[in-house]
Amino acid sequence: MKRWSRKPLTLRVLILAFVLLAALATLGNSLVVAYNVQRSALIHTTLEANRAYAAKVASSISEFLGSARRNLAYSSGILANHFHEAPVLHAEAMRLQAQDTVFNSIIIVDASGKVLQAYPDSLQIVGTTLRSESVQEALRLKQPKVSQAYESIAGNLVVLISQPITSPSGEYLGLVGGSVYILKPGVLHNLIGSHFQEEGTFAFVADANRRLLHHPDRKRIGELLGHSSTVDAALRGESGSMEVVNYKGVQMLAGYAQVPDANWAVVAQQPRDLSLSPLNLLMKDMFLGLIPASLLGVLAIWAGTLLITRPLRQLALSAEQLSNPETPRELQGIRTWYREAAAIRTALLTGVGLMQQKLGRLSQEAQSDPLTGLANRRALGVALEALESSGQAYSVLAVDIDHFKRVNDNFGHDAGDEALRRVSAVLRDSSRAGDLACRAGGEEFVLLLPGTSLETAAGIAERIRETVAATQIPVVGLVTLSIGVANLGAWALTADAVLKLADARLYRAKQSGRNRVVSSETA
């Protein structure tokens, strides 16, 4: 029976297939990364904008309340000298209500809560005693007060801003207060609505009892809120932003702040989907923009692959016929126009010795970091295995460049690469014969110090830190290092344990403020 055998794939087909897969993978990865980056940026920008918006509204409300209280304080000084003169009380109540359009009504009460004067007195409450909790609390505290929202005897939802009246001799006489009607359009609503806001962003205000004092949906004003993480945080005196789910189950990007004088919460928020709505269009434009360049790239790679694989294909055919006397002449006739093909031809002509030399050089390159020239993790692993086999003591420095992401973000990756090379040069220059400086990845380095105690290693680490901190790097300026130091001993009995301990102490150096060396558990 004749056996069927598959014909091996040619190098040309393999390269083209690999390049196509790599191009598709790169394109897909680029789109995913771009989507995630843009999504995070949009969310962060919206959260920050809403935080600033809420803080601005809270600040404006504080200024509004401060102005109202100053006006009441001025009236309090006048009333203190004429507290038992009804015409003066009436005139001052009229003047205050006419001057400060903030207040819908003015009341003047004595220390027992009896109304001495009210303007306008549409309910004829002069002479009656007010028993509302807000008035009684203000009388009891005997200090300036902004009440929480409550329902007045006329059925209006109001906030009372009050100022105590004290006689020249220090006797507490009562208070003068201005009422702000929450459900009626006024200065408070105009003040909140006057701030610039992005499309879909809105602000609401709640008092300490979680009652809505302002909301774009006027039907909700006066409503008591249920659970709200943003309102709770603002009432605790915090200011910031967070992602939350509103009472309708909609994901919102919210900023919040407190109005400290009144203990009110201001929240500015926008639906997350609305914030991310430009992202789909952006990704579509990016995808369409990448397609032409990708197609041109594939065509260029196709042509390049044909050109590159031609001499390799010829060399492969000759290699299959090394026993043929004509093979050396054929090899000489192959146009090896680039180094690798020429090296293969030379290897075929000179034999196994030159091939082994080539492989040795490739092995050495495989253990070096191409950017910094330092050893890589493979070389570090080999060195640690050798030290463990010999039983020799050693110390390890785990080194990390502080805030390296800011370097790349602010100055670009070329400047970041230069910073890595400069730090690598300091590590190399600070290494002694027998030490091994290694780039562990990214901005992380490891310095292996055979036969070195923990104290000596800590001193070396400190010198390295000081040297780097004083080294000017083009474009970037100065950078700092955080270093964790560990040695083979009671705290770490294996190479893996030493590296983990050094990393843990590096983390502590970061947590302790960066630009420092941590070499012990008590440091």
Side-chain angles (χ1 to χ4, degrees), residues 217-285:
D217 183 359
R218 295 191 56 80
K219 294 179 181 178
R220 296 195 62 195
I221 296 177
E223 174 186 324
L224 287 173
L225 292 175
H227 171 73
S228 173
S229 300
T230 50
V231 171
D232 291 343
L235 293 179
R236 290 194 301 267
E238 300 172 11
S239 176
S241 60
M242 65 174 72
E243 293 190 48
V244 295
V245 179
N246 71 3
Y247 73 104
K248 293 182 178 180
V250 178
Q251 289 280 349
M252 307 294 286
L253 304 177
Y256 53 88
Q258 183 194 45
V259 181
D261 293 339
N263 193 22
W264 294 351
V266 178
V267 178
Q269 59 186 19
Q270 182 184 56
R272 187 177 66 174
D273 290 345
L274 183 61
S275 174
L276 297 177
S277 59
L279 189 55
N280 291 332
L281 181 60
L282 177 64
M283 294 307 299
K284 178 182 177 182
D285 292 342

Side-chain angles (χ1 to χ4, degrees), residues 467-486:
T467 301
V468 169
T471 300
Q472 282 286 343
I473 298 174
V475 179
V476 176
L478 297 176
V479 298
T480 60
L481 300 180
S482 295
I483 304 176
V485 186

Side-chain angles (χ1 to χ4, degrees), residues 86-116:
V88 175
L89 300 186
H90 180 71
E92 184 59 23
M94 290 181 60
R95 184 198 67 78
L96 188 58
Q97 202 277 335
Q99 172 186 315
D100 199 333
T101 57
V102 169
F103 301 124
N104 296 96
S105 64
I106 302 295
I107 59 170
I108 302 172
V109 301
D110 65 13
S112 66
K114 179 181 178 181
V115 180
L116 302 181

Side-chain angles (χ1 to χ4, degrees), residues 126-450:
V126 174
T128 64
T129 298
L130 298 179
R131 301 297 182 184
S132 69
E133 182 179 346
S134 297
V135 173
Q136 291 298 318
E137 182 181 13
L139 291 170
R140 183 173 63 256
L141 293 176
K142 300 179 181 180
Q143 61 184 19
K145 175 72 176 174
V146 179
S147 77
Q148 307 308 321
Y150 68 96
E151 188 172 313
S152 69
I153 58 177
N156 294 314
L157 187 64
V158 301
V159 168
L160 178 66
I161 305 173
S162 62
Q163 184 73 22
I165 302 173
T166 305
S167 71
S169 63
E171 178 188 359
Y172 179 71
L173 301 176
L175 62 82
V176 55
S179 297
V180 179
Y181 292 177
I182 298 301
L183 292 175
K184 293 183 179 180
V187 176
L188 180 61
H189 297 279
N190 295 335
L191 183 70
I192 299 171
S194 67
H195 291 281
F196 172 77
Q197 46 191 288
E198 297 289 345
E199 179 184 0
T201 300
F202 66 90
F204 66 85
V205 180
D207 66 11
N209 296 325
R210 308 169 70 87
R211 187 185 298 275
L212 283 174
L213 305 181
H214 174 82
H215 195 279
D217 183 359
R218 295 191 56 80
K219 294 179 181 178
R220 296 195 62 195
I221 296 177
E223 174 186 324
L224 287 173
L225 292 175
H227 171 73
S228 173
S229 300
T230 50
V231 171
D232 291 343
L235 293 179
R236 290 194 301 267
E238 300 172 11
S239 176
S241 60
M242 65 174 72
E243 293 190 48
V244 295
V245 179
N246 71 3
Y247 73 104
K248 293 182 178 180
V250 178
Q251 289 280 349
M252 307 294 286
L253 304 177
Y256 53 88
Q258 183 194 45
V259 181
D261 293 339
N263 193 22
W264 294 351
V266 178
V267 178
Q269 59 186 19
Q270 182 184 56
R272 187 177 66 174
D273 290 345
L274 183 61
S275 174
L276 297 177
S277 59
L279 189 55
N280 291 332
L281 181 60
L282 177 64
M283 294 307 299
K284 178 182 177 182
D285 292 342
M286 182 179 294
F287 179 75
L288 294 177
L290 286 174
I291 288 178
S294 300
L295 291 176
L296 290 175
V298 170
L299 291 176
I301 291 171
W302 181 289
T305 300
L306 296 178
L307 186 62
I308 291 171
T309 58
R310 180 186 176 100
L312 293 177
R313 187 164 177 267
Q314 293 173 335
L315 289 171
L317 292 174
S318 297
E320 294 174 353
Q321 304 174 11
L322 287 178
S323 60
N324 191 327
E326 298 297 321
T327 297
R329 184 177 61 81
E330 292 176 357
L331 286 172
Q332 292 289 351
I334 296 175
R335 183 174 176 269
T336 53
W337 54 273
Y338 55 92
R339 183 188 305 174
E340 287 76 8
I344 294 173
R345 183 180 67 177
T346 301
L348 290 172
L349 289 171
T350 59
V352 176
L354 188 57
M355 179 61 74
Q356 292 298 324
Q357 183 180 355
K358 176 74 172 178
L359 291 174
R361 185 167 67 254
L362 291 175
S363 177
Q364 181 181 3
E365 291 174 356
Q367 295 191 16
S368 300
D369 176 56
L371 176 64
T372 63
L374 299 182
N376 59 16
R377 274 196 172 274
R378 179 181 299 175
L380 177 64
V382 171
L384 287 171
E385 288 178 4
L387 286 172
E388 287 213 332
S389 299
S390 67
Q392 184 180 2
Y394 58 92
S395 294
V396 169
L397 308 186
V399 183
D400 189 274
I401 302 176
D402 295 329
H403 301 300
F404 185 71
K405 184 178 183 298
R406 296 181 186 174
V407 174
N408 283 331
D409 291 346
N410 294 336
F411 306 105
H413 289 279
D414 289 340
D417 288 347
E418 180 60 24
L420 290 173
R421 285 190 285 266
R422 292 299 179 100
V423 172
S424 299
V426 173
L427 290 173
R428 189 184 300 109
D429 294 341
S430 301
S431 300
R432 307 159 303 177
D435 296 345
L436 180 66
C438 164
R439 183 186 179 195
E443 68 273 21
E444 299 176 359
F445 301 85
V446 173
L447 185 58
L448 183 60
L449 306 172

